[in-house]
């Protein structure tokens, strides 16, 4: 192999070597009608050998990209491309695909129905020509536009005044990392995401603020407890002024009493409810396991907008969010009726601000507690069970599964492991109203 070790040899290497051996050692007779086609195919396959740039994708830096190529079913397409001309591959390192790529975006790419988006993304990393480091434009030259194997996408190569070579907005961290007779591989710092793929991903979730790259400040999940990590409190140096101003620390008296919170329908709208709702939905997606709940709030219904309006008007809300396993148990009949998804979610929203601690203390003290819901006049019952809080009763009960997923003082999100229904819809027979009884008035004795 020319002294260059190849790690993690997978089915890609096996297929390419098999094609090389077959094309050189087993010429098959063909009819004159297809003779020219067979010759061109054989010539293209003969060029794919152990020294091919495609095999070099199995280098230790690029095994993640090679796996994506296999899952995208692009082997045959790339075999034909490398047989026709040299290739230039911009390959993100494994760390870029493992650490900097949003897990939700990676799941989006690997879903079978999004195969076209995955193929578009990978083909946008490959140029049908050889572009080495000497071919890059100088810092004083304008960027050069190159067509990729994805017909709808082009890449722009440029050089910064510092001499750093870039492709679009990604820096080249390993120029000419792998050179082969049929192509060259440049290592880049991160994945290049075409605008069409980004739009498909955003259209799926309908959340324009969610990028395919994890934003700074995104919530972190503790792998041991699967709960959101609480930000560490900033250390206060010795002699520094107190974190809480003295004015705010004073007990509120007649002249220091804070202004009352705006009531429902207040004219000032002190709270940005829409941003808070978007923030908690964003947290649900990054927390994992609650994608269906977020999808119903944003795509299937307009409940996210309604909740934002309520919070802006001064309401506080506690959302009992069923996880994806619970949502998967909903049947088509339960969701097909007009307004059915809204009614289901309304029963999971409590117009109070409750945390896991406050609800557990309440059920420990009072036994059973009934909370109002936005689905009037129905209430949801909570009680203590197995050291946790249990909602509902019988087969339609649900336990508090992921406590305090999101708490900001206005919106509280508590994860539960089941779907809740009012008692009249939980499979219990409705009590039929008693048939009216005909009352016959008897004449009073001695009456007129």
């Amino acid at each position: 192999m020319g002294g260059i070790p190849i790690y993690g040899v997978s089915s890609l290497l096996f297929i390419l070597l098999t094609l090389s051996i077959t094309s050189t050692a087993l010429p098959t007779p063909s009819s004159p009608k297809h003779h020219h086609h067979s010759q061109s195919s054989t010539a293209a396959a003969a060029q794919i050998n152990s020294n091919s740039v495609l095999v070099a994708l199995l280098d230790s830096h690029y095994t993640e990209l090679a796996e994506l190529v296999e899952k995208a079913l692009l082997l045959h397409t790339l075999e034909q491309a490398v047989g026709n001309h040299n290739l230039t591959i911009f390959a993100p390192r494994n760390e870029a695909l493992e650490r900097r790529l949003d897990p939700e975006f990676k799941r989006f790419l690997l879903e079978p129905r999004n195969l076209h988006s995955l193929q578009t993304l990978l083909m946008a990393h490959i140029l049908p020509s050889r572009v080495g480091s000497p071919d890059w434009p100088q810092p004083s030259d304008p960027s050069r536009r190159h067509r990729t194997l994805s017909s709808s996408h082009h890449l722009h190569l440029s050089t910064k005044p510092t001499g750093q070579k870039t492709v679009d907005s990604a820096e080249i961290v390993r120029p000419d990392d792998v050179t082969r007779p049929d192509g060259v591989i440049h290592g880049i710092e991160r994945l290049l995401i075409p605008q069409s793929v980004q739009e498909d991903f955003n259209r799926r979730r309908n959340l324009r603020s969610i990028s395919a790259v994890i934003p700074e400040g995104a919530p972190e999940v503790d792998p041991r407890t699967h709960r959101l990590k609480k930000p560490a409190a900033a250390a206060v140096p010795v002699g520094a002024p107190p974190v809480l101003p003295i004015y705010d620390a004073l007990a509120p008296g007649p002249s220091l009493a804070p202004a009352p919170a705006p009531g429902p329908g207040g004219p000032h709208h002190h709270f940005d409810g829409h941003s808070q709702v978007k923030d908690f939905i964003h947290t649900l997606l990054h927390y994992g396991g609650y994608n269906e709940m977020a999808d119903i709030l944003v795509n299937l219904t307009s409940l996210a907008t309604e909740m934002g309006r309520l919070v802006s008007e001064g309401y506080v809300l506690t959302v009992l969010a069923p996880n994806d396993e619970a949502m998967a148990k909903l049947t088509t009949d339960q969701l097909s009726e007009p307004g059915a998804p809204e009614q289901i979610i309304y029963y999971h929203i409590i117009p109070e601000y409750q945390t896991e601690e406050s609800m557990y203390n309440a059920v420990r003290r009072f036994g059973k507690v009934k909370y109002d819901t936005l689905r009037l006049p129905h209430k949801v019952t909570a009680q203590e069970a197995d050291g946790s809080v249990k909602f509902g009763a019988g087969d339609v009960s649900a336990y508090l599964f992921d406590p305090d997923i999101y708490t900001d003082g206005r919106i509280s999100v508590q994860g539960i492991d089941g779907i809740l229904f009012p008692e009249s819809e939980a499979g219990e027979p409705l009590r039929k109203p008693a048939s009216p009884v005909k009352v016959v008035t008897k004449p009073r004795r001695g009456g007129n």
Side-chain angles (χ1 to χ4, degrees):
M1 295 299 294
I4 299 178
I6 294 181
Y7 304 95
V9 178
S10 64
S11 58
L12 174 62
L13 179 58
F14 178 77
I15 294 173
L16 295 178
L17 292 178
T18 303
L19 287 174
S20 176
I21 295 173
T22 304
S23 61
T24 56
L26 298 176
T28 57
S30 59
S31 62
K33 180 178 180 180
H34 300 287
H35 183 65
H36 177 72
H37 175 72
S38 300
Q39 283 185 337
S40 61
S41 300
T42 304
Q47 297 180 12
I48 302 174
N49 50 46
S50 60
N51 201 32
S52 172
V53 70
L54 296 183
V55 179
L57 276 177
L58 298 175
D59 183 75
S60 60
H61 293 296
Y62 310 118
T63 54
E64 289 287 329
L65 182 64
E67 290 181 6
L68 291 180
V69 170
E70 292 184 59
K71 293 176 180 178
L73 308 178
L74 288 177
L75 291 178
H76 181 66
T77 302
L78 294 181
E79 290 164 7
Q80 291 181 336
V82 78
N84 295 330
H85 35 60
N86 274 218
L87 299 181
T88 300
I89 302 176
F90 297 100
R93 294 177 297 176
N94 288 347
E95 308 89 70
L97 294 176
E98 292 175 349
R99 300 177 185 175
R100 297 197 59 185
L101 196 64
D102 183 1
E104 180 69 18
F105 181 70
K106 193 170 185 178
R107 284 193 293 268
F108 164 80
L109 292 177
L110 296 180
E111 290 180 0
R113 59 179 172 178
N114 300 322
L115 178 63
H116 177 70
S117 295
L118 178 60
Q119 292 176 340
T120 301
L121 181 140
L122 294 176
M123 299 289 273
H125 287 72
I126 305 175
L127 305 181
S129 58
R130 189 186 190 96
V131 181
S133 292
D135 303 321
W136 237 266
Q138 296 299 319
S140 57
D141 298 337
S143 62
R144 295 178 184 172
R145 188 167 179 260
H146 289 265
R147 180 177 59 87
T148 66
L149 291 183
S150 175
S151 58
S152 60
H153 187 68
H154 293 76
L155 294 178
H156 298 80
L157 310 185
S158 61
T159 305
K160 295 181 179 180
T162 58
Q164 176 66 57
K165 295 178 175 60
T166 63
V167 51
D168 280 2
S169 58
E171 295 183 353
I172 306 295
V173 293
R174 290 177 176 269
D176 297 330
D177 189 22
V178 178
T179 57
R180 294 291 186 270
D182 56 359
V184 59
I185 298 178
H186 302 289
I188 58 178
E189 62 172 345
R190 62 179 181 83
L191 193 68
L192 302 174
I193 303 174
Q195 184 65 26
S196 60
V197 177
Q198 180 75 59
E199 290 176 354
D200 290 343
F201 175 65
N202 287 341
R203 191 179 303 113
R204 171 82 183 277
R205 287 298 173 195
N206 199 21
L207 293 175
R208 300 295 179 180
S209 62
I210 297 181
S211 173
V213 178
I214 299 178
E216 295 183 2
E220 298 183 10
V221 179
D222 190 339
R224 296 180 294 105
T225 62
H226 299 287
R227 296 185 181 182
L228 292 180
K229 292 183 179 179
K230 295 183 178 180
V236 180
V238 179
V243 176
L244 183 65
I246 299 298
Y247 180 86
D248 293 338
L250 294 176
S255 61
L256 297 178
H268 299 293
H269 297 277
H270 294 293
F271 303 104
D272 187 1
H274 296 285
S275 296
Q276 289 179 276
V277 170
K278 181 179 290 186
D279 189 35
F280 104 71
I281 293 177
H282 197 168
T283 303
L284 274 182
L285 295 176
H286 280 284
Y287 190 88
Y290 294 89
N291 296 336
E292 297 300 328
M293 179 69 177
D295 196 43
I296 288 180
L297 292 175
V298 176
N299 295 330
L300 190 59
T301 68
S302 60
L303 289 176
T305 303
E306 294 182 22
M307 293 173 63
R309 188 179 301 112
L310 288 174
V311 175
S312 296
E313 293 179 350
Y315 284 96
V316 291
L317 302 173
T318 298
V319 181
L320 305 178
N323 56 22
D324 288 346
E325 293 183 7
M327 298 294 273
K329 298 178 182 179
L330 286 174
T331 64
T332 305
D333 294 337
Q334 291 173 317
L335 296 174
S336 59
E337 293 294 330
E342 288 85 350
Q343 293 300 319
I344 293 175
I345 300 302
Y346 281 150
Y347 190 64
H348 291 74
I349 301 178
I350 301 172
E352 303 176 22
Y353 186 79
Q354 297 286 344
T355 63
E356 183 262 347
E357 182 180 4
S358 66
M359 289 190 289
Y360 184 71
N361 290 339
V363 297
R364 282 287 303 273
R365 181 177 181 183
F366 301 108
K368 285 188 177 182
V369 179
K370 290 189 175 182
Y371 294 102
D372 290 326
T373 67
L374 293 187
R375 185 173 180 179
L376 299 174
H378 300 287
K379 297 184 178 184
V380 60
T381 303
Q383 58 185 325
E384 182 190 8
D386 303 327
S388 180
V389 182
K390 177 182 176 182
F391 301 95
D395 297 335
V396 293
S397 60
Y399 284 87
L400 185 55
F401 189 71
D402 287 319
D404 298 338
I405 296 177
Y406 180 88
T407 52
D408 67 352
R410 310 296 303 176
I411 301 175
S412 171
V413 180
Q414 308 294 327
I416 60 177
D417 62 355
I419 304 290
L420 301 174
F421 292 96
E423 292 184 2
S424 59
E425 300 179 5
E428 300 179 3
L430 289 172
R431 294 182 180 179
K432 296 183 179 180
S435 57
V437 179
K438 185 176 181 180
V439 179
V440 179
T441 59
K442 297 182 180 180
R444 295 176 58 188
R445 181 177 298 176
N448 294 330

